[in-house]
Amino acid sequence: MKIKVINPNTTWEMTKGIADAAESVRRPDTQIIAVSPEIGPASIESFYDEYLSIPGVLEEVKKGEEEGVDAYVIACYGDPGLQAAREVTEAPVIGIAEASLYMASMLAARFSIVTVLPRIKTMLEELVDGYGMSKRVLNIRTTPMCVLDFERDPERGMELLRQEGRKAVEEENAEAILLGCAGMAEFANELEEELQVPVIDGVVAAVKFAEAIVDLGKTTSKLKTYKAPETKQFIGMLAPFGSKA
Amino acid sequence: MKIKVINPNTTWEMTKGIADAAESVRRPDTQIIAVSPEIGPASIESFYDEYLSIPGVLEEVKKGEEEGVDAYVIACYGDPGLQAAREVTEAPVIGIAEASLYMASMLAARFSIVTVLPRIKTMLEELVDGYGMSKRVLNIRTTPMCVLDFERDPERGMELLRQEGRKAVEEENAEAILLGCAGMAEFANELEEELQVPVIDGVVAAVKFAEAIVDLGKTTSKLKTYKAPETKQFIGMLAPFGSKA
Amino acid sequence: MKIKVINPNTTWEMTKGIADAAESVRRPDTQIIAVSPEIGPASIESFYDEYLSIPGVLEEVKKGEEEGVDAYVIACYGDPGLQAAREVTEAPVIGIAEASLYMASMLAARFSIVTVLPRIKTMLEELVDGYGMSKRVLNIRTTPMCVLDFERDPERGMELLRQEGRKAVEEENAEAILLGCAGMAEFANELEEELQVPVIDGVVAAVKFAEAIVDLGKTTSKLKTYKAPETKQFIGMLAPFGSKA
Amino acid sequence: MKIKVINPNTTWEMTKGIADAAESVRRPDTQIIAVSPEIGPASIESFYDEYLSIPGVLEEVKKGEEEGVDAYVIACYGDPGLQAAREVTEAPVIGIAEASLYMASMLAARFSIVTVLPRIKTMLEELVDGYGMSKRVLNIRTTPMCVLDFERDPERGMELLRQEGRKAVEEENAEAILLGCAGMAEFANELEEELQVPVIDGVVAAVKFAEAIVDLGKTTSKLKTYKAPETKQFIGMLAPFGSKA
Amino acid sequence: MKIKVINPNTTWEMTKGIADAAESVRRPDTQIIAVSPEIGPASIESFYDEYLSIPGVLEEVKKGEEEGVDAYVIACYGDPGLQAAREVTEAPVIGIAEASLYMASMLAARFSIVTVLPRIKTMLEELVDGYGMSKRVLNIRTTPMCVLDFERDPERGMELLRQEGRKAVEEENAEAILLGCAGMAEFANELEEELQVPVIDGVVAAVKFAEAIVDLGKTTSKLKTYKAPETKQFIGMLAPFGSKA
Amino acid sequence: MKIKVINPNTTWEMTKGIADAAESVRRPDTQIIAVSPEIGPASIESFYDEYLSIPGVLEEVKKGEEEGVDAYVIACYGDPGLQAAREVTEAPVIGIAEASLYMASMLAARFSIVTVLPRIKTMLEELVDGYGMSKRVLNIRTTPMCVLDFERDPERGMELLRQEGRKAVEEENAEAILLGCAGMAEFANELEEELQVPVIDGVVAAVKFAEAIVDLGKTTSKLKTYKAPETKQFIGMLAPFGSKA
């Protein structure tokens, strides 16, 4: 099966790391297509970046429809455009935040998220609440590093994750740690070994859930909320997103 | 003061109706600038449309910064891009859904929303829940009409609003009716007269709240969640949204 | 228009400060009538005080009906008698707690309240929860000062607000501060300047919301919850509250 | 022990019925003092009535302090003034709504409330929510009868309770019925026999809980929320509620 | 009346202490039957222990049906098997956790629980949430002592309760302390005297509530959720739990 | 990998159907071990049955530890003993209710559950709420058929599922249907074809999630809540559940 993993930001170095993570866990008969959109922000650290990454994400989903993709993974911890992507395709679409939360729930009673800059805490709180997981998430811990800092200085990145992860375990008894950024995938295994609790990277969680759902032949419900978008015109540079004549 | 009312869809006939509603309630010293973006969908009836309207909304907010705008109103009942817009400007930004919900809460104990197509019910439920208003909203009633149908056939639009409004009052004892689409502003007064409960149009509610907040000299908090977006590059046709060199 | 601002306690020095705050933000065509009731407690710092302030508040609303009042503001942070006042008049009635919460929600993602004695924390928690704002309020900070202490020793009052406000900003990243007592109105501007986040005084917020709602010609729904009280007899010194023969 | 059952309205015919209910279940060594206040409304069917019944309730609690009362029951289904009464005395104070909800929770998984006029539904919803019982209460059913109608025409009252109770059992599978008005106590046994599910009258529930708590020697916590009201002056006809010089 | 108090663990020393607590508060005409099951764990400190204590609890309830028991108390703070026990008998069944929470709610606005090992915190959080009490419980404080440690070393037990209780009062302003283990009953009075806030032991609370409910002649609703278990076969050593031929 | 699917009831005909469902979706390298316990009820339709199935479930998990099992599935829609099973093993343990809810959430915005007898509705409501899914579940529809009726008369079973499923889709716009009993697995495909919305059987969902989690090498967190049960003695016929000497 083909799983398209879309890194909603346009930093291909990071997409490469995400691809590596996905490749390392895919089944032999799964093909990973990892991409960044051709339009959008270099990283996502605000509502502004998040919303502006969505046109690129949707473009990649649309392309995927012609590439014979069986399932999509949106590989940014804000799950940008997830519900819209579900309208565009019948194939399952999975966000890495939701995947990490559901997987963690099957392995640990209470857990914490470690993520990038403090400013995205509100966004993640709303996300967690929307997924019904507020009672299970003990804390959303931020670091003073932005998304690309984790690419540029992985050693410091690992050090900060270690610090916050340890505090989560010791101070609030987090029984698992969720990595709140797709760019942290590479640190998961080392961190898990150190902390001795499950460390959940949403990218690999979502890829495996995608395989599971595709195996079952399940597709997105087209009854109501996720019906194909209504036929209509778009104008300006977004005209290509409109219905075809 | 200058209040920029952004209709996130690109249908200027509808923007005209929104402008009329805003003009009809503005104070003499308030200037209304009602616009549609230069890019985006002709109407908003799905998560797809909603997200793809946001770049246009943000562009209009950015333009507004040079136009000396004192407050912004986002005139679509999904409040698209609201949190991102707050990052882009220090001026207050108000969504018509939130304005209608807060105003209704000060006038009625329990109320219902009447809106367009059934498919957007999930979106509005999430919105209402996010604003903390789930206990007050009795029902979200949909109609078989899409957004632009209300422009094309206002008589049938009024008739359907009347029907659903009456059912809301009689069947669930809705103590106020909230109009769940910016294009319904023109029907508010007639409907209120018929139903004998407050009928709240979010456009006028938001304009008046904007005047109120600007009068007080209050601006959006820039401490954390709504800080200016981080400096970064955008690529492709969204490149103009990136930080200036 | 006439807005009657009712300070539910009977301390006219405080009413004076509330009147000043209201006057400082009203529009030229707005007339502020600021009063204390003729019966009731000198200040409100318990459920006991709160409930016993309500007869006086309702008396003032009833008087207001003959004074041609267009909207009422209840200027105590427990919003005492708010729902009963809405039964007594068709004019909008706004509590300063609800006004501050709704206004803050349009300017900041997360915020804290600073108020008087610790004992009223439960009351404010219930209030915040009733308005659907629990997820947005980070903390309710109390001070060892009672309501009238802020009148008697405004310097110490300002100092304590400054301390708690700063802790709110620094320790819990409060993106706005809400003043949890009508008597704190005078400190808002200075505090805002120091803390560099919006400081919301409910008195001025409520006055401006009242102007907004009156401009729109909206009145309280009389369908069900806020219908006029049923006709009936009252006895004892409360007899005047009964229906007129 | 002495339990003072305060009917917050001033209709002694109804107080008599409440007294009968309490007498019928008290233990031999329990003395019931059932009273109506000397001030206040003849019945309680609105927020207005509710708040204006509170001074009378508090007066009776204060009197009770000199009568050697061991526990108080507030016998109106809105639990008017409950939290204030807890400030005034160290003796336990129990509202009949809370008592009925807690007792029902120990006997049935899901239940419905049957009460008087439709307008009080909002008040009861807020009450139920405040007691944490929203998930257990299936419905709040109202009748077109006001409080005193149940005194005047008990046959029709019983008939309406029977109708609504039966619908609750059959339509929503209510596993118990809670009587949402102190004046309905007399109908409980007959109704229970007919419906074959527990019918809970809050008056008797509260009396028995009061006996239980007094037996244990437990009193209201005076640490913080329910501390004695602060010392202060009251003016006008409410002056007697102020602190003694 | 006969109240059977079932200590779900099989440590009779602890059952003795529970019996003493129950005896000390029962009314003269109440007979306490305190037992441990003949099967099950020596103490309950995990979901494993909890679930495996339930067969023994149910066996004791079944035996109680022949002993003419009027009400049952399940004396372990996880309320193990409570809902199943309600299916087995028409007599009221009360858990000590629910009893302590409801009684505390009538005496204090906010409170904390002090219990045994940290690992049961999740279980208690879920319990508190299920009873609708999350907003009232400030904290669930654990100690490094297991259940039987409190039997073996009551002095250290008392010392730890004192420490945690004092921290609850001082650090989070807990207005009452709930003892989160049936084995702590004996410490309640001394602790209450020291802390000067109500200390609620669920055992005595449940016994007194049981007396109250039996006095009223109320029994468990058999309409739906708590109907007698369906007729069916059980196999293996659990065969005796099946329906009789 | 080895996945042990435990049907908590002792009806092997049903276990056979569950095994078939699991076999039909497992990957070639997955081995399914489907069992019923040696002790316990023939079916599960009450809290009584549910709790009494748990010893058998735990016994099977313990046996599994020696069989080299990699993951466990608990195949009853009440997820009986799930949290205890997680204490007993480090291998992941997945309940079919949680699996169906998480999978449905990735495919549909709102959905309904169709299950067996009305009496278990409360149990499922509590389950759904515990998993944070209350906002997504529109309805829990019951049928007049007990668990084993679906084995005995599959045609009528299919007919009732079809009826309720259709009503769920048409009356409440359920965008997916969740099968609320492990014995319904065989009907999933036919029902999905008819209803044209995803029909989720928890058995296959859980098996595929188990494969996903095992592939990632993730195991249950042993930090706190799911630590191995404390060492202790059990007595009576449950003695084998105690710690080994």
Side-chain angles (χ1 to χ4, degrees):
Chain A
M1 78 181 73
K2 277 191 199 170
I3 298 178
K4 187 166 187 175
V5 180
I6 303 169
N7 169 17
N9 78 33
T10 55
T11 300
W12 279 85
E13 293 84 340
M14 189 168 149
T15 311
K16 181 67 178 54
I18 290 169
D20 289 349
E23 286 289 345
S24 74
V25 300
R26 71 169 174 82
R27 284 161 25 196
D29 54 335
T30 297
Q31 182 190 344
I32 299 292
I33 307 173
V35 299
S36 274
E38 290 172 16
I39 57 176
S43 64
I44 297 176
E45 293 147 333
S46 62
F47 287 102
Y48 180 86
D49 297 343
E50 161 118 347
Y51 289 135
L52 289 170
S53 75
I54 295 176
V57 168
L58 295 177
E59 208 171 64
E60 290 303 326
V61 175
K62 289 191 164 186
K63 276 193 232 163
E65 293 304 278
E66 283 159 28
E67 296 159 356
V69 168
D70 295 292
Y72 298 85
V73 168
I74 298 182
C76 167
Y77 211 78
D79 292 353
L82 179 59
Q83 307 218 67
R86 283 179 181 150
E87 293 170 344
V88 168
T89 175
E90 294 202 5
V93 188
I94 303 175
I96 65 170
E98 69 174 344
S100 74
L101 288 162
Y102 296 153
M103 188 170 284
S105 292
M106 294 188 274
L107 295 169
R110 297 288 182 269
F111 36 83
S112 291
I113 300 172
V114 182
T115 188
V116 293
L117 300 178
R119 64 178 300 157
I120 70 161
K121 192 173 183 187
T122 299
M123 191 195 291
L124 293 202
E125 283 174 359
E126 292 178 355
L127 205 66
V128 164
D129 195 51
Y131 291 131
M133 291 287 155
S134 299
K135 288 174 190 161
R136 302 198 178 210
V137 173
L138 296 167
N139 202 354
I140 297 173
R141 290 177 168 270
T142 59
T143 56
M145 286 177 80
C146 73
V147 171
L148 298 184
D149 286 344
F150 280 88
E151 296 301 311
R152 287 180 207 121
D153 188 351
E155 272 181 54
R156 188 167 162 248
M158 182 61 205
E159 183 48 34
L160 280 172
L161 288 180
R162 189 183 288 123
Q163 272 176 34
E164 289 302 318
R166 189 159 293 151
K167 280 196 271 182
V169 169
E170 286 167 11
E171 293 176 13
E172 69 227 22
N173 289 163
E175 301 175 57
I177 301 295
L178 281 61
L179 299 178
C181 176
M184 295 172 177
E186 60 181 300
F187 307 110
N189 292 339
E190 188 179 342
L191 198 59
E192 184 166 294
E193 200 145 318
E194 291 200 26
L195 298 178
Q196 292 293 302
V197 297
V199 172
I200 311 289
D201 160 42
V203 175
V204 301
V207 166
K208 299 309 289 183
F209 279 173
E211 287 179 343
I213 292 174
V214 172
D215 270 3
L216 294 181
K218 296 293 171 197
T219 55
T220 297
S221 177
K222 289 290 159 178
L223 182 73
K224 188 176 167 186
T225 305
Y226 300 139
K227 277 203 300 191
E230 305 294 306
T231 303
K232 72 189 54 167
Q233 206 191 6
F234 279 64
I235 65 168
M237 67 183 175
L238 293 173
F241 286 93
S243 315
K244 292 192 186 79
Chain B
M1 77 181 73
K2 276 192 202 172
I3 297 177
K4 187 167 188 174
V5 180
I6 304 171
N7 169 18
N9 78 33
T10 56
T11 299
W12 279 86
E13 294 83 339
M14 192 168 146
T15 312
K16 180 69 177 52
I18 291 169
D20 289 349
E23 287 288 346
S24 73
V25 302
R26 70 169 174 81
R27 284 163 22 197
D29 55 334
T30 298
Q31 182 190 346
I32 300 293
I33 309 174
V35 299
S36 274
E38 289 172 16
I39 58 174
S43 64
I44 298 175
E45 293 146 332
S46 63
F47 286 102
Y48 181 86
D49 298 341
E50 162 118 348
Y51 289 134
L52 289 170
S53 76
I54 295 175
V57 168
L58 296 177
E59 208 171 64
E60 289 303 325
V61 174
K62 290 193 165 184
K63 274 191 233 164
E65 294 304 280
E66 283 159 29
E67 297 159 353
V69 168
D70 295 291
Y72 297 85
V73 169
I74 298 183
C76 167
Y77 211 79
D79 292 354
L82 179 59
Q83 307 217 66
R86 284 179 181 150
E87 293 170 346
V88 169
T89 175
E90 296 202 5
V93 188
I94 303 176
I96 65 169
E98 70 173 345
S100 74
L101 289 162
Y102 296 152
M103 187 171 285
S105 292
M106 294 188 274
L107 296 170
R110 296 288 181 270
F111 37 81
S112 291
I113 300 172
V114 182
T115 187
V116 294
L117 300 177
R119 66 178 300 159
I120 69 163
K121 192 172 181 186
T122 300
M123 190 194 292
L124 294 202
E125 283 174 359
E126 293 177 355
L127 204 66
V128 164
D129 196 50
Y131 291 131
M133 291 287 155
S134 298
K135 287 173 191 162
R136 301 199 178 211
V137 173
L138 296 168
N139 202 356
I140 297 173
R141 290 175 169 269
T142 58
T143 56
M145 287 177 81
C146 73
V147 171
L148 298 184
D149 286 343
F150 280 87
E151 296 301 310
R152 287 178 208 121
D153 188 350
E155 272 180 53
R156 189 169 160 246
M158 182 61 204
E159 182 49 34
L160 280 172
L161 288 180
R162 189 183 286 124
Q163 272 175 32
E164 289 303 315
R166 187 158 293 151
K167 280 196 271 182
V169 170
E170 287 168 11
E171 292 176 13
E172 68 227 20
N173 289 161
E175 301 175 57
I177 301 296
L178 281 61
L179 299 178
C181 175
M184 295 171 176
E186 59 181 302
F187 307 111
N189 292 340
E190 189 180 342
L191 199 58
E192 184 166 293
E193 198 146 321
E194 289 199 27
L195 298 178
Q196 293 292 304
V197 297
V199 172
I200 311 288
D201 159 43
V203 175
V204 300
V207 166
K208 300 309 290 185
F209 279 173
E211 288 178 343
I213 293 174
V214 172
D215 270 3
L216 294 181
K218 296 295 171 195
T219 56
T220 297
S221 177
K222 289 289 159 179
L223 181 73
K224 187 177 168 189
T225 305
Y226 300 139
K227 276 202 299 191
E230 304 295 306
T231 303
K232 73 187 56 166
Q233 205 191 8
F234 279 63
I235 65 168
M237 67 183 173
L238 293 173
F241 287 94
S243 314
K244 293 193 186 77
Chain C
M1 76 181 73
K2 278 191 199 171
I3 298 177
K4 186 164 188 176
V5 180
I6 304 169
N7 170 18
N9 78 33
T10 55
T11 301
W12 279 86
E13 295 83 339
M14 190 168 147
T15 311
K16 180 67 179 53
I18 290 170
D20 288 350
E23 287 288 346
S24 75
V25 301
R26 70 168 175 84
R27 284 164 21 198
D29 55 334
T30 298
Q31 180 190 346
I32 300 293
I33 308 174
V35 299
S36 274
E38 289 172 16
I39 57 176
S43 64
I44 298 176
E45 293 147 333
S46 63
F47 287 102
Y48 180 86
D49 297 341
E50 162 117 348
Y51 289 135
L52 289 170
S53 75
I54 295 176
V57 168
L58 295 177
E59 207 170 65
E60 290 303 324
V61 174
K62 290 192 164 185
K63 276 192 231 161
E65 293 304 280
E66 283 158 28
E67 297 159 356
V69 168
D70 296 291
Y72 298 85
V73 168
I74 298 182
C76 167
Y77 210 79
D79 292 353
L82 179 59
Q83 307 218 66
R86 284 180 180 149
E87 293 170 344
V88 169
T89 175
E90 294 202 4
V93 189
I94 302 176
I96 67 169
E98 70 174 345
S100 74
L101 288 162
Y102 296 153
M103 188 171 284
S105 292
M106 295 188 272
L107 296 170
R110 297 289 181 268
F111 37 82
S112 291
I113 300 171
V114 182
T115 187
V116 293
L117 300 178
R119 65 178 299 157
I120 70 161
K121 192 173 183 187
T122 300
M123 190 195 293
L124 294 201
E125 283 174 358
E126 292 178 355
L127 204 67
V128 164
D129 197 49
Y131 291 132
M133 291 286 154
S134 299
K135 290 174 189 163
R136 301 198 178 211
V137 173
L138 296 166
N139 202 353
I140 297 172
R141 290 176 169 271
T142 58
T143 56
M145 287 177 80
C146 72
V147 170
L148 299 185
D149 285 343
F150 280 88
E151 296 300 311
R152 288 177 207 122
D153 188 351
E155 270 180 54
R156 187 166 163 248
M158 181 61 205
E159 183 48 34
L160 279 173
L161 288 180
R162 189 183 288 122
Q163 271 176 35
E164 289 302 316
R166 188 160 292 151
K167 280 196 270 182
V169 169
E170 285 167 11
E171 292 177 14
E172 68 228 21
N173 290 161
E175 302 175 56
I177 300 297
L178 280 62
L179 299 178
C181 175
M184 295 171 177
E186 60 181 300
F187 308 110
N189 292 338
E190 188 180 342
L191 198 60
E192 184 166 294
E193 199 146 321
E194 289 200 26
L195 298 177
Q196 292 292 303
V197 297
V199 172
I200 311 289
D201 160 42
V203 176
V204 300
V207 166
K208 300 308 288 185
F209 280 174
E211 288 179 343
I213 292 174
V214 172
D215 270 2
L216 293 181
K218 296 295 170 195
T219 56
T220 296
S221 178
K222 288 289 158 179
L223 182 73
K224 188 177 168 186
T225 305
Y226 300 138
K227 277 202 300 190
E230 305 295 306
T231 303
K232 75 189 52 166
Q233 205 191 8
F234 278 63
I235 64 167
M237 68 183 172
L238 294 173
F241 287 93
S243 314
K244 294 191 187 77
Chain D
M1 76 183 72
K2 276 191 201 171
I3 298 176
K4 186 166 189 176
V5 180
I6 304 169
N7 169 18
N9 77 35
T10 55
T11 301
W12 278 86
E13 293 84 339
M14 191 167 146
T15 311
K16 179 69 177 51
I18 290 168
D20 288 348
E23 287 288 346
S24 73
V25 301
R26 69 170 175 81
R27 283 163 23 198
D29 55 335
T30 298
Q31 180 190 348
I32 300 292
I33 308 173
V35 299
S36 273
E38 290 171 16
I39 57 175
S43 65
I44 298 176
E45 294 147 329
S46 63
F47 286 102
Y48 180 87
D49 297 341
E50 162 118 348
Y51 290 134
L52 289 171
S53 75
I54 295 176
V57 169
L58 296 177
E59 209 170 62
E60 290 303 324
V61 174
K62 290 192 164 186
K63 276 191 232 164
E65 293 303 280
E66 283 159 30
E67 297 159 353
V69 168
D70 296 290
Y72 298 85
V73 169
I74 299 182
C76 167
Y77 210 80
D79 291 354
L82 179 59
Q83 307 217 66
R86 285 182 179 146
E87 294 171 344
V88 168
T89 175
E90 295 203 5
V93 189
I94 303 177
I96 65 168
E98 71 174 344
S100 73
L101 289 162
Y102 297 154
M103 187 171 286
S105 292
M106 293 188 273
L107 296 170
R110 298 287 181 269
F111 37 81
S112 291
I113 299 172
V114 181
T115 188
V116 293
L117 300 178
R119 65 179 299 158
I120 70 161
K121 193 173 182 185
T122 300
M123 191 194 292
L124 294 202
E125 283 175 358
E126 293 178 355
L127 204 66
V128 165
D129 196 51
Y131 290 132
M133 290 288 156
S134 299
K135 289 174 189 161
R136 301 199 178 211
V137 174
L138 295 168
N139 202 354
I140 296 172
R141 290 177 168 269
T142 59
T143 56
M145 286 177 82
C146 73
V147 171
L148 298 185
D149 286 343
F150 280 88
E151 295 301 310
R152 287 177 209 122
D153 188 351
E155 271 180 55
R156 187 166 163 247
M158 181 60 204
E159 182 50 33
L160 279 172
L161 288 180
R162 189 183 288 123
Q163 271 175 34
E164 289 304 315
R166 188 159 292 151
K167 281 197 270 182
V169 170
E170 287 168 10
E171 293 176 13
E172 68 228 21
N173 288 161
E175 300 174 58
I177 300 296
L178 281 62
L179 299 178
C181 175
M184 295 172 178
E186 59 181 303
F187 308 109
N189 292 340
E190 188 180 343
L191 198 59
E192 184 166 293
E193 198 145 322
E194 289 200 26
L195 298 179
Q196 292 292 303
V197 297
V199 171
I200 311 290
D201 160 43
V203 175
V204 300
V207 166
K208 299 310 288 184
F209 280 173
E211 288 179 343
I213 292 174
V214 172
D215 270 2
L216 294 181
K218 295 295 171 193
T219 56
T220 297
S221 177
K222 290 289 159 179
L223 182 72
K224 187 177 168 187
T225 305
Y226 301 139
K227 277 202 301 191
E230 305 294 307
T231 302
K232 73 189 54 169
Q233 205 191 9
F234 279 62
I235 65 167
M237 66 183 175
L238 294 173
F241 286 94
S243 314
K244 294 191 187 78
Chain E
M1 77 181 74
K2 278 192 201 172
I3 297 176
K4 186 165 189 175
V5 180
I6 304 169
N7 170 17
N9 78 33
T10 56
T11 300
W12 279 86
E13 294 84 340
M14 190 166 148
T15 311
K16 179 70 176 52
I18 290 169
D20 289 349
E23 286 289 346
S24 74
V25 301
R26 71 168 174 84
R27 286 164 19 199
D29 55 335
T30 298
Q31 180 189 346
I32 299 292
I33 309 173
V35 299
S36 274
E38 289 171 17
I39 58 176
S43 64
I44 298 177
E45 292 147 331
S46 62
F47 287 101
Y48 180 86
D49 297 340
E50 161 118 349
Y51 289 134
L52 289 170
S53 75
I54 295 176
V57 169
L58 296 177
E59 210 171 62
E60 290 303 326
V61 174
K62 289 191 165 186
K63 274 192 234 163
E65 293 304 279
E66 283 158 29
E67 297 159 355
V69 168
D70 295 292
Y72 298 86
V73 168
I74 299 182
C76 167
Y77 211 77
D79 292 352
L82 179 59
Q83 307 218 66
R86 285 180 180 148
E87 293 170 344
V88 169
T89 176
E90 294 204 5
V93 189
I94 302 177
I96 65 169
E98 68 174 348
S100 73
L101 289 162
Y102 297 152
M103 187 170 286
S105 293
M106 294 188 273
L107 296 169
R110 298 286 183 269
F111 36 82
S112 291
I113 299 171
V114 181
T115 188
V116 293
L117 300 177
R119 64 177 301 156
I120 70 159
K121 192 172 183 188
T122 300
M123 190 194 293
L124 293 202
E125 283 173 359
E126 293 178 355
L127 205 66
V128 165
D129 196 48
Y131 291 131
M133 291 286 155
S134 300
K135 289 174 189 163
R136 301 199 180 211
V137 174
L138 296 167
N139 203 354
I140 297 171
R141 291 177 169 269
T142 59
T143 56
M145 287 178 81
C146 73
V147 171
L148 298 184
D149 286 344
F150 280 88
E151 296 301 310
R152 288 179 208 120
D153 189 351
E155 271 180 54
R156 187 166 163 248
M158 182 61 204
E159 183 48 34
L160 279 172
L161 287 180
R162 189 184 288 123
Q163 273 175 33
E164 290 302 317
R166 187 159 293 151
K167 280 196 269 181
V169 169
E170 286 168 10
E171 292 176 15
E172 68 228 20
N173 289 163
E175 301 175 56
I177 301 296
L178 281 61
L179 299 178
C181 175
M184 296 171 176
E186 60 181 300
F187 307 110
N189 292 339
E190 188 179 344
L191 199 59
E192 184 167 294
E193 198 145 321
E194 290 201 25
L195 299 178
Q196 293 291 303
V197 298
V199 172
I200 312 288
D201 160 41
V203 176
V204 300
V207 166
K208 299 309 287 185
F209 280 173
E211 289 179 341
I213 292 174
V214 172
D215 270 2
L216 294 181
K218 295 295 170 194
T219 56
T220 297
S221 178
K222 288 290 160 178
L223 181 73
K224 187 178 167 186
T225 304
Y226 300 139
K227 276 202 301 191
E230 305 294 307
T231 303
K232 73 189 54 167
Q233 204 191 9
F234 279 63
I235 64 168
M237 68 182 175
L238 293 173
F241 287 94
S243 314
K244 293 191 188 80
Chain F
M1 76 182 73
K2 276 191 202 170
I3 298 176
K4 186 166 189 175
V5 180
I6 304 169
N7 170 18
N9 78 34
T10 56
T11 301
W12 279 87
E13 296 83 339
M14 191 167 145
T15 312
K16 179 70 176 53
I18 291 169
D20 289 348
E23 287 289 344
S24 74
V25 302
R26 71 168 174 83
R27 284 163 23 196
D29 54 335
T30 298
Q31 182 190 345
I32 300 292
I33 307 174
V35 299
S36 275
E38 289 171 18
I39 57 174
S43 64
I44 298 176
E45 293 147 330
S46 62
F47 286 102
Y48 180 86
D49 298 341
E50 162 118 348
Y51 289 135
L52 289 170
S53 75
I54 295 176
V57 168
L58 296 177
E59 208 171 63
E60 290 303 324
V61 174
K62 290 192 163 186
K63 275 191 233 165
E65 294 303 279
E66 282 158 31
E67 297 159 353
V69 168
D70 296 291
Y72 298 86
V73 169
I74 298 183
C76 167
Y77 211 79
D79 292 354
L82 179 59
Q83 308 217 66
R86 285 180 179 147
E87 293 171 346
V88 169
T89 176
E90 295 203 3
V93 188
I94 303 177
I96 65 169
E98 71 174 344
S100 74
L101 288 163
Y102 297 153
M103 188 171 284
S105 293
M106 294 189 272
L107 296 169
R110 297 287 181 271
F111 37 82
S112 291
I113 300 172
V114 181
T115 188
V116 293
L117 300 178
R119 65 179 299 157
I120 69 162
K121 193 173 182 185
T122 300
M123 191 194 291
L124 295 202
E125 283 174 359
E126 292 177 355
L127 204 66
V128 164
D129 196 50
Y131 291 132
M133 290 287 155
S134 298
K135 287 174 191 163
R136 301 199 179 211
V137 173
L138 296 167
N139 202 355
I140 296 173
R141 289 176 170 269
T142 59
T143 57
M145 287 177 80
C146 74
V147 170
L148 297 185
D149 286 343
F150 280 88
E151 295 302 310
R152 289 177 207 123
D153 189 351
E155 271 179 54
R156 187 167 163 247
M158 181 61 205
E159 183 49 34
L160 279 172
L161 288 180
R162 188 184 288 123
Q163 271 175 33
E164 289 303 315
R166 188 158 294 150
K167 280 196 270 182
V169 170
E170 287 168 9
E171 292 176 13
E172 68 227 21
N173 290 162
E175 301 175 57
I177 301 296
L178 280 61
L179 299 178
C181 175
M184 295 172 178
E186 58 180 304
F187 308 111
N189 292 340
E190 188 180 342
L191 198 60
E192 183 165 296
E193 198 145 320
E194 289 199 26
L195 297 179
Q196 292 291 304
V197 297
V199 171
I200 311 289
D201 159 43
V203 175
V204 300
V207 166
K208 299 309 290 183
F209 280 173
E211 288 180 342
I213 292 173
V214 173
D215 271 2
L216 294 181
K218 296 294 171 196
T219 56
T220 296
S221 177
K222 289 289 158 181
L223 181 72
K224 186 177 170 187
T225 305
Y226 301 140
K227 276 203 301 192
E230 306 294 307
T231 303
K232 73 187 54 166
Q233 204 190 9
F234 279 63
I235 65 167
M237 68 183 173
L238 293 174
F241 287 93
S243 314
K244 295 193 186 73

